[in-house]
Amino acid sequence: MSIRLKLTLSYTGFVLLAGILMLVTGWLFLTRVPHIGLVFVPDYQLAVASDFAPLAAVTLSFLLVFGLAGGWFLAGRMLAPLNSITQATRTAATGSLSHRIQLPGRQDEFRELADAFDAMLAQLEAHVGEQQRFAANASHELRTPLATTKALLDVARADPARATDPLIDRLHTVNTRAIDLTEALLLLSRADRQTFTREDVDLSLVAEEATETLLPLAEKQKVTLETDGDIAPTTGSPALLLQLTTNLVHNGIVHNRPGPGSVRVTTEARPYTVVLTVENTGEPVPPDLVPHLTEPFQRGTERVHTDHPGAGLGLAIVRSITHAHHGTLTLTARPGGGLRVTVELPAAATPRP
């Protein structure tokens, strides 16, 4: 039972109670107090009751209807600010912290609640923005020294006069992983801030481009790539959506089972959304671990291919890009092993003829 209905019933109950008390008072006045002229009429109380009863029933019926209609209207007016606060809460829950209630009217309890909620959103937006700027700035500052180190290591590895030194190869691997992590943090920050221009994108073409790019890696690891589906038009950043698809396909390859495996990429067009699905064969993923796979630096299974250590941000980046495009991300453990990842995005608006 909603609060509006409870308030309506309470208001109706008070109106009916007041009406009943007034009718009882009138009945007592007519039947208990002697009236000049009526005292000469035998059993005049019965005549008064027969005339008073229909009037009382009509009065109570009117009060019931009036109480329900008036209570429903007044409760709606009283709770309208609460509906605005609820809508703002739902908007903030989707990650949009820039929305403000800005409740008009006099300074009452609802206005104080709305102002406090706006202040909380402003502080959250400032803190999140500060964290994102720090991650972006720190990652950007790390790119130059890491690139310089990589260049020096490449020169050392390419020097034919040097003796084989496994330490240099190890340093090169660690440096490459640090560069990948830095680039992933920059991409994650960019997706969270939604600083990109929206364009028309066909997810089916994006899926084909991602699979073609990763085909050499798949062949090297004996993983079969399969693509299928419909034209799936949406709007967003082509670069970010390509990164999303590439991350999913790459995860499907490196987290596959040893030996022959497969990664299947499909697209689907629905009435109001488009869907990208990537599923792979692999080791069984515990169901209780699936909800945590999109957290940064989480992995569902050990990587089969040690030459692609990754940064642990693949699915976190996928989640951020999906949310930045107002979509939903669903992860499901396949019964036979592996993972099915579904990305559902709003379909592109169909142009009017």
Side-chain angles (χ1 to χ4, degrees), residues 20-253:
I20 291 174
L21 291 176
M22 292 181 63
L23 291 175
V24 170
T25 302
W27 168 254
L28 293 177
F29 178 77
L30 292 175
T31 57
R32 301 301 180 186
V33 179
H35 298 278
I36 300 176
L38 292 179
V39 296
F40 299 103
V41 180
D43 298 328
Y44 76 92
Q45 291 90 346
L46 296 178
V48 171
S50 61
D51 292 336
F52 186 78
L55 178 62
V58 171
T59 302
L60 289 178
S61 300
F62 171 78
L63 290 177
L64 176 62
V65 175
F66 176 78
L68 289 173
W72 184 261
F73 174 76
L74 292 177
R77 290 291 301 273
M78 293 175 58
L79 295 176
L82 190 60
N83 293 333
S84 301
I85 297 174
T86 302
Q87 184 62 34
T89 305
R90 291 173 178 170
T91 303
T94 61
S96 176
L97 300 178
S98 59
H99 180 73
R100 298 292 182 271
I101 302 174
Q102 295 180 346
L103 190 67
R106 295 179 298 177
Q107 191 72 23
D108 55 9
E109 289 81 358
F110 284 122
R111 176 71 179 275
E112 292 178 0
L113 177 61
D115 292 344
F117 191 80
D118 284 344
M120 181 190 68
L121 286 179
Q123 292 181 358
L124 284 175
E125 186 180 20
H127 290 326
V128 171
E130 183 178 354
Q131 291 179 355
Q132 292 174 349
R133 286 190 297 271
F134 173 79
N137 293 335
S139 301
H140 187 271
E141 292 298 326
L142 285 173
R143 295 175 75 180
T144 300
L146 287 174
T148 303
T149 306
K150 183 177 184 299
L152 293 175
L153 289 172
D154 288 339
V155 171
R157 294 179 69 195
D159 186 3
R162 77 173 182 92
T164 302
D165 189 352
L167 179 60
I168 294 181
D169 294 334
R170 183 65 179 271
L171 288 174
H172 184 272
T173 301
V174 173
N175 181 261
T176 301
R177 186 176 185 276
I179 292 176
D180 292 341
L181 177 59
T182 303
E183 296 295 338
L185 288 173
L186 283 172
L187 184 60
L188 190 61
S189 175
R190 179 187 174 194
D192 288 337
R193 288 181 287 131
Q194 300 186 20
T195 55
F196 55 85
T197 303
R198 297 184 179 274
E199 305 175 17
D200 291 335
V201 182
D202 184 359
L203 281 185
S204 63
L205 298 179
V206 173
E208 291 180 3
E209 183 176 353
T211 53
E212 289 178 2
T213 302
L214 294 172
L215 184 58
L217 174 63
E219 292 177 345
K220 179 181 178 182
Q221 309 300 342
K222 299 180 181 180
V223 174
T224 303
L225 295 182
E226 304 176 13
T227 57
D228 187 21
D230 308 323
I231 297 175
T234 185
T235 57
S237 167
L240 289 179
L241 292 176
L242 177 60
Q243 186 66 49
L244 177 150
T245 310
T246 303
N247 282 8
L248 291 179
V249 178
H250 185 271
N251 275 3
I253 295 173

